[in-house]
Amino acid sequence: MKIVFVQNFLLDNGGSPSDDNLYPHLGLISLIAEIEKSRHVPFLYDPMLQLHKGHLALDSSIYADVAVQLLEKEPTAVGFTALGCNFMAVVKIAQEIKRRKPETLILL
């Protein structure tokens, strides 16, 4: 099973990406390290890094664009981390994934 884990999608108070949010999620990294010991294939996706590199635009299509980038990895499952401040972003991305490829498992 290929599992894509998604780093938190966080913006600053002005709604813009911030270099302060480019940090590794130690929980996800630990989980990925354990999964690598199994027959499953984990992958880490960081939407903040994609924004920082210019591979995503911060506009109305961002949730669909993230979903497309995640599905390009052809995952069996997509695992999200969520905080109160980014929960709606997670829901919108998950909805786009399910709309495009309904058989994809969503983990939260």
Side-chain angles (χ1 to χ4, degrees), residues 5 7 24-38 42 44 81:
F5 292 96
Q7 168 80 345
H25 189 291
L26 297 180
L28 287 180
I29 292 170
S30 298
L31 185 57
I32 287 168
E34 285 301 311
I35 290 173
E36 284 179 333
K37 298 175 186 176
S38 73
L44 179 62
T81 58

Side-chain angles (χ1 to χ4, degrees), residues 20-84:
D20 295 340
N21 292 329
L22 293 174
Y23 59 90
H25 189 291
L26 297 180
L28 287 180
I29 292 170
S30 298
L31 185 57
I32 287 168
E34 285 301 311
I35 290 173
E36 284 179 333
K37 298 175 186 176
S38 73
R39 61 183 173 86
H40 303 294
V41 179
F43 181 81
L44 179 62
Y45 173 86
D46 187 343
M48 300 307 298
L49 184 59
Q50 298 303 314
L51 276 169
H52 185 75
K53 289 182 170 183
H55 298 154
L56 282 175
L58 192 55
D59 60 22
S60 62
S61 70
I62 192 163
Y63 305 117
D65 294 344
V66 168
V68 166
Q69 287 183 5
L70 291 169
L71 291 173
E72 285 174 355
K73 302 293 181 192
E74 299 181 354
T76 306
V78 177
F80 292 95
T81 58
L83 303 167

